[in-house]
Amino acid sequence: MKDDSTSIANYFVKHKAKNLCVNAKGELLTYLDVYQKAIKPPFTATNRQLVFCIVENEISALSGYFALLVANAVPMMVAVTISTEKLHHLASSYRPHFIWLPEARRKEFERADCMLSQDGYCLLNLHNPERRCHDSLALLLATSGSTGNPKYVRLSHRNLYSNAESIAKFLELTSNEVPITTLPPSYSYGLSIIHSHIFVGATLAITNKTFFDRDFWNFFHDIQATSMGGVPYHYEMLKKLRFTSMNLPSLRTLTQAGGGMDTKLTMEYASYCESSGRRFFSMYGQTEATARMSYLPSSEATFKAGSIGIAIPGGKFWLEDKSGQIFDCADSPGELVYQGPNVSMGYADSYEDLEKSDERHGVLRTGDIARRDGDGYYFIVGRRKRFIKLYGNRVSLSDIDGLLFESGYVAACAGQDNYLEVYALNIDAEKAKLVKKLVVGSLHIAQSAVSVYGVTEFPRSDSGKIQYSELQSQLGILLT
Amino acid sequence: MSNLEKYVDAFKETFMVQDSDLSDLKYQDIEAWDSVGHMALMATLEERFNVELDIDDIIEFSSFEVGQSILAKYNISMS
């Protein structure tokens, strides 16, 4: 274990007498169980080594992830939806020493040795040479969904600790909380819920069922869950289920992050919480800042609906104009810049980057354009870079352009949160369907979130550069 | 278009599947029918059949087959 009081790993010892996880079958995992697992082989061998971690919201899976944290390994979270091909590609870029994954996927690594197999998960030794990771490096998280981009965010022990501490503080978390899992642990928001509750010694209600499973709601009632988090599409699903008329007496807190949510929808949940004595938190963040950068206090949830709120405890926001000058006047848009101890060390594209030290020095240019109102609350008004959020995952539009190019299409993408527009050069309706299938399949999104347009040319600047901001539906013919 | 054709069509369009895949298709069997896909399917069915599905029915709607009996409760018969 890392001898540093500012490490989340120490909290497994601090809360050793408490229950960490419980599931619908009534199985329990205590904080002490994790500690005991971590100080024994084979987990002791993972110290300072890169370990791929493919985990779902299951106790056996998470117990391995937690043990890696305590053993001071460097886990790299990989989405469970990753294909064998992409996983192998990722493994050749990063050369992990070990991999913690479902037993069912063990056959994807034929030449690996199994060090431990327990309750459906196993730890494999891939026999890659040992490599030195930077001493501060604690965890690697993916920047965007499943486009296959090997770009990962390098997070330090201090990043994890400070963000968990800050979230626990502004949400006023206590050990009595019982958050129910709704988001994958490979996703920064999902993981931040887990980490912030470990900080206070709470018990996590672990399920990988969705809102559309009866079992999810049965478990919610049985375990008396007190909170859950969701990205905008979760709140659309809950609306479909007429959530506000459900009888959920144990529920105290709802949190929302993962992209801007329609203000009307935000207002519905904010008023529901206000009138029923619950708390609703709109939050904003990026994986590049571990998870959270701002929150809207629940007391302001209805007055300031649509706002991302104020910087989290320990953090600071400011706005910069086009020339990079900080300005201080209300209601003028500028690039949102964040400073805080949760700002990541930087990116990694391969194992060679794991030795790198902190490249950001606590400052993150978010790429989002925001304004601040007269009361000091921030509102996102646009985006500087070519990114959109699809179902909570930040997706690079140029990654999608690249993905299509590899399959033989010349396309440029545009759109807004939860809605992607693909402009493809010289295609017919048949090909458009294939384009849609490809995009829907690789991004795991709903068909209704994608439109494909056929164009004969792209809008270009005098210098020949594609003018992405001018891509709009009138330019082409809607094909599917 | 018959009710069954409309029903089949909604599945094919939402999940891009073939007729032959449908008869024993269940929630979360295929990647496309995840929670996002489920929401899209419910919206499509509600629009095509002009109904508003009850919360319990949305949750119980666990397969191509079960869906037919659920819609029958709304007087939408497939036969």
Side-chain angles (χ1 to χ4, degrees):
Chain A
M1 199 162 59
K2 200 169 147 42
D3 287 327
D4 177 353
S5 60
T6 58
S7 168
I8 200 97
N10 293 306
Y11 284 73
F12 290 89
V13 181
K14 186 177 171 192
H15 301 304
K16 61 181 181 292
K18 297 188 177 127
N19 289 328
L20 168 57
C21 295
V22 60
N23 66 12
K25 286 190 237 159
E27 291 164 345
L28 282 172
L29 180 77
T30 67
Y31 284 83
L32 184 64
D33 291 337
V34 170
Y35 179 73
Q36 285 173 335
K37 189 175 187 141
I39 57 168
K40 280 192 298 228
F43 279 93
T44 42
T46 64
N47 183 270
R48 301 315 298 146
Q49 296 300 313
L50 180 66
V51 185
F52 275 14
C53 211
I54 307 183
V55 297
E56 280 202 76
N57 282 313
E58 288 170 348
I59 289 185
S60 53
L62 289 170
S63 74
Y65 165 66
F66 296 145
L68 291 170
L69 280 186
V70 176
N72 199 17
V74 181
M76 173 160 154
M77 301 305 258
V78 180
V80 289
T81 50
I82 195 168
S83 65
T84 306
E85 191 195 343
K86 282 181 185 167
L87 179 57
H88 282 165
H89 181 69
L90 204 59
S92 66
S93 301
Y94 282 92
R95 307 184 185 177
H97 206 67
F98 299 98
I99 181 163
W100 173 249
L101 83 176
E103 184 74 43
R105 297 193 72 162
R106 187 168 151 184
K107 56 183 182 295
E108 293 171 35
F109 294 89
E110 278 174 356
R111 273 174 299 187
D113 280 330
C114 182
M115 313 291 287
L116 174 80
S117 176
Q118 210 169 43
D119 306 319
Y121 274 78
C122 56
L123 184 71
L124 303 182
N125 187 336
L126 299 185
H127 299 296
N128 281 318
E130 291 201 5
R131 302 225 163 243
R132 210 186 77 83
C133 293
H134 191 278
D135 286 344
S136 302
L137 188 64
L139 179 71
L140 293 152
L141 289 180
T143 51
S144 66
S146 29
T147 47
N149 188 336
K151 198 174 199 182
Y152 269 69
V153 175
R154 292 182 289 124
L155 297 170
S156 69
H157 298 98
R158 182 163 176 258
N159 289 157
L160 298 186
Y161 175 85
S162 64
N163 212 217
E165 180 187 40
S166 181
I167 293 166
K169 192 168 175 186
F170 76 74
L171 288 179
E172 299 172 52
L173 301 180
T174 69
S175 60
N176 296 324
E177 291 291 336
V178 184
I180 189 164
T181 54
T182 50
L183 301 157
S186 56
Y187 175 44
S188 59
Y189 179 20
L191 202 57
S192 74
I193 294 175
I194 292 176
H195 289 169
S196 55
H197 284 84
I198 287 173
F199 186 81
V200 296
T203 304
L204 307 160
I206 305 294
T207 176
N208 53 26
K209 300 287 181 199
T210 73
F211 294 157
F212 296 127
D213 283 294
R214 170 74 62 210
D215 290 344
F216 177 88
W217 299 107
N218 289 344
F219 182 46
F220 192 109
H221 280 284
D222 291 345
I223 207 69
Q224 299 196 20
T226 60
S227 73
M228 61 183 185
V231 304
Y233 101 86
H234 283 101
Y235 285 97
E236 284 167 31
M237 281 195 265
L238 289 175
K239 186 177 161 72
K240 189 98 215 125
L241 290 169
R242 286 187 282 287
F243 173 73
T244 53
S245 61
M246 284 185 187
N247 179 31
L248 301 167
S250 60
L251 181 70
R252 294 197 294 258
T253 309
L254 290 174
T255 64
Q256 182 264 315
M261 185 154 90
D262 177 53
T263 305
K264 233 179 88 194
L265 196 59
T266 302
M267 197 63 196
E268 278 181 41
Y269 288 100
S271 338
Y272 157 76
C273 285
E274 197 179 80
S275 63
S276 61
R278 299 187 168 94
R279 307 181 306 158
F280 183 80
F281 290 91
S282 299
M283 311 187 298
Y284 163 84
Q286 286 178 8
T287 306
E288 285 81 346
T290 309
R292 297 279 70 77
M293 284 186 272
S294 76
Y295 74 106
L296 181 61
S298 60
S299 57
E300 305 298 320
T302 52
F303 302 115
K304 299 284 185 188
S307 168
I308 60 162
I310 53 177
I312 59 170
K316 191 177 152 190
F317 273 148
W318 65 81
L319 296 172
E320 291 184 9
D321 65 18
K322 274 184 182 152
S323 58
Q325 292 295 310
I326 298 174
F327 65 89
D328 206 25
C329 57
D331 292 317
S332 303
E335 185 176 3
L336 186 64
V337 184
Y338 175 85
Q339 183 178 41
N342 53 311
V343 171
S344 60
M345 300 167 76
Y347 292 120
D349 287 305
S350 73
Y351 70 90
E352 287 162 323
D353 298 327
L354 304 184
E355 275 186 76
K356 286 185 180 168
S357 53
D358 180 10
E359 295 170 322
R360 295 195 198 271
H361 308 292
V363 177
L364 179 69
R365 309 188 65 85
T366 65
D368 284 318
I369 306 297
R371 67 177 175 84
R372 182 178 56 236
D373 73 7
D375 299 325
Y377 290 84
Y378 286 83
F379 292 79
I380 301 291
V381 295
R383 202 153 286 168
R384 219 169 61 97
K385 297 174 192 163
R386 291 188 67 221
F387 285 106
I388 58 171
K389 287 226 174 177
L390 291 171
Y391 303 109
N393 281 311
R394 200 171 67 147
V395 175
S396 153
L397 294 173
S398 41
D399 277 2
I400 308 174
D401 297 347
L403 180 92
L404 289 167
F405 188 74
E406 279 170 26
S407 303
Y409 301 99
V410 180
C413 294
Q416 48 197 301
D417 281 357
N418 295 326
Y419 187 72
L420 175 69
E421 292 167 356
V422 181
Y423 295 88
L425 208 55
N426 302 323
I427 59 163
D428 56 19
E430 274 311 299
K431 281 207 172 136
K433 275 192 187 154
L434 294 174
V435 165
K436 190 169 188 174
K437 194 163 183 171
L438 188 68
V439 171
V440 166
S442 35
L443 300 176
H444 304 284
I445 56 174
Q447 303 228 22
S448 55
V450 183
S451 289
V452 180
Y453 295 89
V455 293
T456 50
E457 59 180 341
F458 295 122
R460 288 180 190 274
S461 68
D462 295 340
S463 57
K465 234 177 125 188
I466 296 179
Q467 299 288 86
Y468 294 102
S469 57
E470 285 174 25
L471 285 170
Q472 46 197 315
S473 52
Q474 302 92 293
L475 284 176
I477 305 157
L478 177 64
L479 295 172
T480 177
Chain B
M1 207 191 263
S2 75
N3 280 341
L4 184 61
E5 282 167 344
K6 278 205 268 185
Y7 183 72
V8 165
D9 224 49
F11 274 79
K12 280 162 69 179
E13 265 183 37
T14 313
F15 303 139
M16 290 197 170
V17 285
Q18 311 290 324
D19 285 276
S20 54
D21 304 330
L22 284 176
S23 60
D24 49 359
L25 192 66
K26 291 184 190 65
Y27 178 46
Q28 290 182 332
D29 259 6
I30 51 168
E31 234 168 58
W33 196 355
D34 58 5
S35 56
V36 176
H38 192 69
M39 200 159 75
L41 177 69
M42 293 304 112
T44 306
L45 291 172
E46 288 186 344
E47 187 192 305
R48 304 240 169 128
F49 292 109
N50 196 23
V51 289
E52 194 176 330
L53 295 169
D54 195 63
I55 158 174
D56 286 332
D57 292 328
I58 291 173
I59 291 177
E60 302 296 341
F61 202 116
S62 53
S63 70
F64 178 79
E65 200 184 334
V66 170
Q68 299 185 34
S69 55
I70 284 173
L71 287 177
K73 293 199 285 183
Y74 295 81
N75 291 324
I76 298 157
S77 162
M78 298 290 163
S79 49

